[in-house]
Amino acid sequence: MAMPRLAFALIAATSLLRAQAEPEQGEPLPLAIDSGVVANTNPAPAAYGLPEVVWSTVVAVPQASWLRLHYGGVLLSGARMPGADGSYLRLTSLLDGAVQTQHLLHVGQWRDTSAYFNGGAVLVELLACPGTGDNRLVLDEVTAGPALPVLPDSICGATDDRVLSSDSRVARNQPTGCTSWMISDCNHCFLTAGHCSSGLQVIEFNVPLSSASGSIQHPPPSDQYAVDLTSLQSNGGQGVGNDWAYFGVFPNSVTGLTPFQANGGQAFDLVTPPAVSGQTIRITGNGSTSSPVSPTWYLVQKTHSGPYVDFTGTRVQYAVDTTGGNSGSPIILDGTNQTIGIHTHAGCTSTGGANNGTASIHAGLQAALAAPAGVCDCPPMMFTFPNGQPQSVAPNGNSVLRVTITGGAGLQPSSVTLHAGIGGAFQAVPMALVSGTTFEANFPAFACGNAVQYYVSALDGAGVPHNEPANAPGSVHVTSATDALTTFRNYDFETAPPGWSVVNGGLTAGAWVRGTPADSRGPAADFDGSGQCWVTGNNNLEDVDGGITQLVTETVDVSQSAQAVVRFALWFGDSSSDDSLIVEASNDGGANWTVIETLAPFAGWQLHQFRVRDHFATPNQLAVRFSVADQPDNSVTEAAVDAFRIDNLTCIPASWVPFGYGCAGPGGTPTLSLVSPPALGGTLTLQIGNFGSGFPCMLVGLAMAIGPMPSPPFANLCTLYPRLDVIDFVPPAGSVANWSLPIPGNPSLQGLSLYTQAFVFDSIWSLSAPGIAQVRN
């Protein structure tokens, strides 16, 4: 039967309206490169704070035009942010010397990948400062070019009239092969076509010419930016006039600049399309080419202008040359800084027609612009920590937290408060104004060894409360009260932890997976705000079904740790309340397992911890396992793990130490010795001996006040050490006299020093050797 004329016309029209993406044609190749655990152990004082290469390798793919690395696991110790003590990766193209540096923060932002590097070989180096801890890099894949050019389409006339351009507001998308452009919203984010948003990872500026054969070349990593997927809003591309995406990128890992900062502060103004009245439209983007155009122009920035043809509903049309790779380009009112929409579909031919885009007034696009997410969001109040966030705090309350608050509808300075606690109620500590909008406060005192949870709150000018983290106290920051801290591992799961594995048995759905929580029945967000955590299944309405799924950590050597503490955040829900989340630990690298806790369902995220020596008398090769099963398969079972860390806490014990010299009286030199140390909540007891027939006293000072005593009445060469804050007569009990001082259980007394010395009143006064007491828990 003949095809109806209307149907034939619709099919013909559809074939002309092609989406103009030009996806990357690189080939993924497997790697099996593992640095193993490496560290900088240089003991030289002169090397302190100076990073050195502790491991390196070269990844090479012969005859490739470009490479991009994929990480199977990354452990970088020291500061997460760029800093003097932070381990980091340094990657260098052996073709053109382009360099990318990545601290752990950047590895997460780049989603466990590197930038693109020209050539077929990249030098990979791991740098660490002395004494900062273990590091490890696993490389499991490399994507290699070249990509070959394809035929152009939608040239509006007999020739391709585009010319090379260098608009710093326009970027090339990778690996989706489209164009994006910067707008003048609050954080200067980007628009592109919706059909270009799936798989979008990187955008590139200052794109160089392609090779003589048409293989794309990449700018240096300093011109490449990782896309923040939490910011991406898109309709996925639903046809002409209905195809948009809005997203932002992280600051560059090399320069620390945003694209807006790097290009000198230039962005397009998005405006409503005007009625057609003889205007000229310009399209600037990274389209493909074919002969007679030079292959070096393939997928690099070019521009062309032509007539504004039509504006109907949410569709705009224009007779301007475009090709594959132009999808997402700005539709510019030529001669202005204004754009009226997003170029998305081909429509021109050599004999006429027009190309097509989605108008700026599209309701979905406008809704996204009104509700920015991720790095595009401009929250009314922002909290930053200019001195960083502490990995540990002093038990005696001497550690300071400083916060700067910006944005918002004003600020009530008296409302800024630090909330800190070790479980249960938080202590509220008002923060004092330092200058401008910067405030600080001391952490309260907590007993050494505790996990300290904290957040900051403030009221804006309208009295609206704001917290950091935003959903505190549901999510909080965590540190440790300790005299000294050594961190073995610290994972927020924004990067893949090396050596972790998932083991399933009889499972039909819901295996452990690392990602941003996406199941409406699981946690609404991760615990620590990094964006990702481990969850059981991560598709909506996917839970644990059938057998068991086990998340197993790497093995960590804690044999030299006096007090290793493992901490993690857990989320666990079970609709029938007959399943359990089981936490186990192994002391022999996974050969044998000990149950740490078996948990029934609970509400929201919870922080959990255990001390390794409470379960293993001789800590050795530690691994931890989180197990969940829906057995019988009769319920909705969901679990999550986040904020995993292993620390060695050093808590100095209460002590009393003698020092110096005494002076003799008629019965000789008095003695002073320890009976019980000055522990918080306990009693300091000292024993005075060798006082003969004299009367023993105790001298106690909160400071030293060394000075010689006159002779007589003191024995010759007598020296008084403590300041005389307390003088106690101590009744003898036979040949000895015991002096006691109760120590309150207040953690703020941690580290208090008491200087003590026995004094004997006799015909010649005498003093014992002094001693110093240190109050601890």
Side-chain angles (χ1 to χ4, degrees):
M1 182 174 69
M3 181 177 293
R5 182 175 299 175
L6 177 59
F8 180 82
L10 289 174
I11 292 173
T14 302
S15 68
L16 294 176
L17 304 180
R18 295 184 297 274
Q20 289 196 292
E22 192 68 20
E24 172 189 289
Q25 298 179 33
E27 179 182 4
L29 302 171
L31 296 175
I33 299 175
D34 189 342
S35 70
V37 176
V38 293
N40 185 342
T41 58
N42 188 341
Y48 179 77
L50 299 177
E52 297 179 2
V53 175
V54 294
W55 178 82
S56 66
T57 190
V58 173
V59 176
V61 179
Q63 301 183 8
S65 61
W66 54 264
L67 298 178
R68 188 184 190 198
L69 304 178
H70 301 257
Y71 311 140
V74 180
L75 169 64
L76 296 175
S77 294
R80 174 182 172 82
M81 300 283 288
D85 69 341
S87 301
Y88 61 95
L89 304 178
R90 183 169 66 196
L91 305 101
T92 307
S93 165
L94 297 187
L95 175 68
D96 57 20
V99 176
Q100 181 185 29
T101 54
Q102 291 181 308
H103 286 75
L104 194 62
L105 172 74
H106 305 130
V107 175
Q109 292 174 346
W110 282 78
R111 301 280 170 169
D112 296 296
T113 63
S114 74
Y116 291 85
F117 293 91
N118 294 321
V122 175
L123 171 64
V124 182
E125 298 172 293
L126 202 164
L127 292 90
C129 291
T132 52
D134 293 340
N135 305 275
R136 185 180 176 188
L137 174 64
V138 178
L139 298 171
D140 62 2
E141 187 177 276
V142 59
T143 302
L148 299 178
V150 297
L151 294 176
D153 53 9
S154 64
I155 297 300
C156 300
T159 60
D160 185 344
D161 296 314
R162 294 172 297 174
V163 296
L164 291 176
S165 59
S166 56
D167 193 321
S168 62
R169 299 165 294 187
V170 178
R172 183 172 72 186
N173 299 359
Q174 292 295 123
T176 54
C178 295
T179 298
S180 58
W181 43 285
M182 193 186 315
I183 62 174
S184 55
D185 63 347
C186 65
N187 275 341
H188 304 100
C189 287
F190 293 82
L191 297 181
T192 191
H195 68 263
C196 296
S197 61
S198 178
L200 176 60
Q201 300 175 19
V202 177
I203 64 171
E204 301 178 324
F205 292 88
N206 302 317
V207 173
L209 293 175
S210 297
S211 70
S213 64
S215 295
I216 63 172
Q217 299 294 287
H218 296 276
S222 56
D223 284 321
Q224 300 181 39
Y225 296 82
V227 173
D228 176 15
L229 296 182
T230 65
S231 72
L232 178 61
Q233 300 183 66
S234 172
N235 73 347
Q238 300 178 26
V240 175
N242 191 20
D243 193 344
W244 60 269
Y246 170 50
F247 68 94
V249 298
F250 294 109
N252 186 268
S253 69
V254 179
T255 67
L257 301 176
T258 66
F260 184 73
Q261 294 168 330
N263 78 0
Q266 303 176 68
F268 286 111
D269 295 327
L270 187 66
V271 301
T272 300
V276 177
S277 181
Q279 301 96 326
T280 299
I281 295 296
R282 179 171 295 278
I283 302 294
T284 301
N286 301 284
S288 58
T289 58
S290 67
S291 181
V293 178
S294 169
T296 62
W297 289 24
Y298 177 68
L299 297 186
V300 302
Q301 193 185 116
K302 297 172 288 294
T303 191
H304 181 233
S305 63
Y308 184 20
V309 174
D310 187 46
F311 168 40
T312 302
T314 58
R315 168 175 166 164
V316 289
Q317 292 187 293
Y318 33 87
V320 184
D321 289 347
T322 64
T323 56
N326 267 113
S327 275
S329 297
I331 306 171
I332 308 167
L333 289 174
D334 199 21
T336 75
N337 192 52
Q338 298 177 336
T339 57
I340 62 173
I342 305 165
H343 169 70
T344 59
H345 287 77
C348 265
T349 68
S350 60
T351 58
N355 290 320
N356 302 268
T358 299
S360 60
I361 62 170
H362 187 287
L365 172 59
Q366 287 297 318
L369 293 170
V375 296
C376 296
D377 185 21
C378 296
M381 184 178 287
M382 294 192 66
F383 299 76
T384 57
F385 299 93
N387 295 342
Q389 293 175 255
Q391 288 191 338
S392 64
V393 294
N396 62 2
N398 284 339
S399 295
V400 175
L401 181 72
R402 179 169 289 191
V403 63
T404 298
I405 303 175
T406 56
L411 172 67
Q412 298 183 31
S414 62
S415 71
V416 182
T417 304
L418 167 64
H419 305 263
I422 55 175
F426 286 87
Q427 296 184 47
V429 182
M431 302 192 75
L433 179 65
V434 176
S435 64
T437 58
T438 297
F439 301 80
E440 70 177 23
N442 280 39
F443 279 90
F446 296 109
C448 187
N450 277 294
V452 178
Q453 308 170 33
Y454 69 95
Y455 67 96
V456 178
S457 68
L459 299 177
D460 63 22
V464 177
H466 301 267
N467 293 334
E468 169 55 39
N471 60 338
S475 291
V476 291
H477 298 296
V478 182
T479 185
S480 298
T482 181
D483 295 308
L485 177 76
T486 302
T487 299
F488 292 108
R489 296 294 184 269
N490 185 9
Y491 294 126
D492 62 7
F493 303 123
E494 191 65 8
T495 60
W500 286 48
S501 61
V502 175
V503 179
N504 301 318
L507 196 71
T508 58
W512 286 105
V513 62
R514 185 178 64 91
T516 301
D519 191 335
S520 60
R521 300 181 301 187
D526 70 321
F527 170 76
D528 56 23
S530 69
Q532 299 194 71
C533 60
W534 285 93
V535 292
T536 50
N538 202 28
N539 298 310
N540 195 31
L541 305 184
E542 177 189 8
D543 70 317
V544 178
D545 288 322
I548 191 171
T549 182
Q550 297 178 314
L551 174 63
V552 186
T553 73
E554 68 197 281
T555 297
V556 181
D557 184 355
V558 294
S559 59
Q560 302 304 308
S561 170
Q563 186 168 308
V565 175
V566 183
R567 297 195 175 109
F568 41 85
L570 297 177
W571 192 102
F572 182 48
D574 174 39
S575 61
S576 64
S577 298
D578 58 2
D579 297 323
S580 300
L581 170 58
I582 302 173
V583 181
E584 300 167 280
S586 171
N587 198 40
D588 52 16
N592 298 282
W593 294 93
T594 298
V595 174
I596 303 299
E597 53 185 340
T598 300
L599 301 169
F602 49 84
W605 284 98
Q606 291 184 358
L607 280 170
H608 291 248
Q609 71 174 44
F610 66 89
R611 195 173 76 105
V612 176
R613 284 191 180 273
D614 290 342
H615 302 275
F616 306 108
T618 307
N620 195 7
Q621 303 301 306
L622 178 71
V624 182
R625 185 167 70 182
F626 303 92
S627 302
V628 186
D630 186 6
Q631 294 175 329
D633 190 356
N634 63 343
S635 59
V636 175
T637 304
E638 304 274 9
V641 175
D642 200 9
F644 181 92
R645 62 184 298 150
I646 305 174
D647 295 311
N648 182 46
L649 308 184
T650 300
C651 293
I652 300 172
S655 63
W656 179 86
V657 179
F659 68 96
Y661 302 94
C663 55
T669 302
T671 61
L672 187 62
S673 59
L674 178 69
V675 176
S676 61
L680 288 175
T683 300
L684 168 64
T685 301
L686 300 175
Q687 187 173 90
I688 305 172
N690 204 35
F691 49 82
S693 60
F695 297 96
C697 299
M698 180 63 67
L699 309 178
V700 183
L702 296 175
M704 295 276 279
I706 300 175
M709 295 291 100
S711 176
F714 280 93
N716 192 28
L717 302 179
C718 258
T719 300
L720 177 68
Y721 286 86
R723 190 177 70 189
L724 296 180
D725 294 315
V726 175
I727 302 176
D728 274 350
F729 171 71
V730 186
S735 61
V736 298
N738 288 335
W739 174 84
S740 295
L741 177 69
I743 306 295
N746 188 344
S748 64
L749 296 177
Q750 286 269 16
L752 177 67
S753 295
L754 299 174
Y755 298 90
T756 60
Q757 194 169 15
F759 163 61
V760 177
F761 181 74
D762 205 336
S763 58
I764 297 179
W765 298 354
S766 58
L767 293 169
S768 71
I772 181 171
Q774 287 279 332
V775 178
R776 300 281 178 177
N777 40 301

